[in-house]
Amino acid sequence: MKITKRPLLTTILYGLACGVSFIPMMTALSQLFHWPIAFRLTIWLILAGYLVLLTRWGRARFVSVIFPLLLLLLVVFWGGSNTPFLFLGLGILSWVRSGICFQGGLLKTLTAEIAISLGGGGLVSVFAPHTTITWAMAVWMFFLVQSLYFLVVRDIGEVEEEHVSLDAFEQARGQAEKILSTEIQ
């Protein structure tokens, strides 16, 4: 039986984990850096983790995302404002996701990236987070929107198939579900 990995569900759960861990990360990093740098470093860590997940799903080499991550890390410490950093982060996410990990048709991926990146970023800006708690919720909301990418570009999930041998109970359950679904129709 083939089991498909679920990048959509994993993106949602990763976003939830990032939203929950945003406040502790900000608190810890604020002890070491001023607030803007701590904020940008927290966002960078969240994005770096997600890019690692994307490289695993897309079977890309991790080395291919080192340059975009280093570029964004440079802006963490060198940049003066959060807005250019966040836009650059959106651009790097799009670059890695559609340019490195999941290369597909130019029109389809470009349309998906523009809609989802600008949609996620726009939704966060409309939400206008100003406190650490609202930023934590905005991070999760952003990843909820990002998970739509895997609905728009469906063939990504089908690339990630692997054969798994199931035990007798799982095989019996699968056969029972087939029988029940045909009887209902």
Side-chain angles (χ1 to χ4, degrees), residues 40-62:
R40 291 191 297 258
L41 193 55
T42 302
I43 297 295
W44 182 85
L45 288 169
I46 288 169
L47 225 88
Y50 191 57
L51 294 183
V52 168
L53 283 174
L54 288 173
T55 57
R56 291 182 54 98
W57 294 330
R59 295 189 179 151
R61 294 180 25 216
F62 177 71

Side-chain angles (χ1 to χ4, degrees), residues 117-128:
S117 294
L118 292 180
L123 194 57
V124 169
S125 70
V126 167
F127 188 56

Side-chain angles (χ1 to χ4, degrees), residues 11 50-51 54-55 57-58 65 90-104 109 112-118 142-143 145-150 153 156:
T11 298
Y50 191 57
L51 294 183
L54 288 173
T55 57
W57 294 330
V65 297
L90 281 175
I92 286 177
L93 173 62
S94 298
W95 173 20
V96 169
R97 184 170 45 201
S98 290
I100 296 174
C101 295
F102 306 112
Q103 298 174 355
T109 56
E113 285 298 342
I114 289 172
I116 291 169
S117 294
L118 292 180
F142 176 77
F143 278 103
V145 174
Q146 294 306 304
S147 67
L148 295 175
Y149 179 83
F150 299 105
V153 186
I156 290 169

Side-chain angles (χ1 to χ4, degrees), residues 168-179:
F169 177 76
E170 289 295 324
Q171 289 175 348
R173 184 183 62 83
Q175 291 172 348
E177 286 176 355
K178 284 182 188 176
I179 292 169

Side-chain angles (χ1 to χ4, degrees), residues 21-171:
S21 65
F22 186 85
I23 295 172
M25 282 195 300
M26 276 294 298
T27 303
L29 290 172
S30 293
Q31 301 298 319
L32 302 171
F33 303 103
H34 294 290
W35 188 88
I37 292 176
F39 170 75
R40 291 191 297 258
L41 193 55
T42 302
I43 297 295
W44 182 85
L45 288 169
I46 288 169
L47 225 88
Y50 191 57
L51 294 183
V52 168
L53 283 174
L54 288 173
T55 57
R56 291 182 54 98
W57 294 330
R59 295 189 179 151
R61 294 180 25 216
F62 177 71
V63 174
S64 59
V65 297
I66 288 177
F67 175 73
L69 284 174
L70 288 177
L71 177 67
L72 193 60
L73 184 62
L74 179 66
V75 177
V76 164
F77 294 104
W78 198 15
S81 175
N82 289 335
T83 304
F85 170 78
L86 292 173
F87 276 113
L88 182 62
L90 281 175
I92 286 177
L93 173 62
S94 298
W95 173 20
V96 169
R97 184 170 45 201
S98 290
I100 296 174
C101 295
F102 306 112
Q103 298 174 355
L106 179 65
L107 184 61
K108 184 177 184 178
T109 56
L110 186 63
T111 305
E113 285 298 342
I114 289 172
I116 291 169
S117 294
L118 292 180
L123 194 57
V124 169
S125 70
V126 167
F127 188 56
H130 293 293
T131 65
T132 308
I133 292 172
T134 56
W135 268 109
M137 291 188 303
V139 165
W140 186 37
M141 182 177 55
F142 176 77
F143 278 103
L144 287 174
V145 174
Q146 294 306 304
S147 67
L148 295 175
Y149 179 83
F150 299 105
L151 288 176
V152 173
V153 186
R154 288 188 180 264
D155 55 344
I156 290 169
E158 286 127 29
V159 171
E160 293 286 332
E161 293 181 349
E162 60 184 45
H163 296 281
V164 176
S165 60
L166 299 176
D167 62 2
F169 177 76
E170 289 295 324
Q171 289 175 348

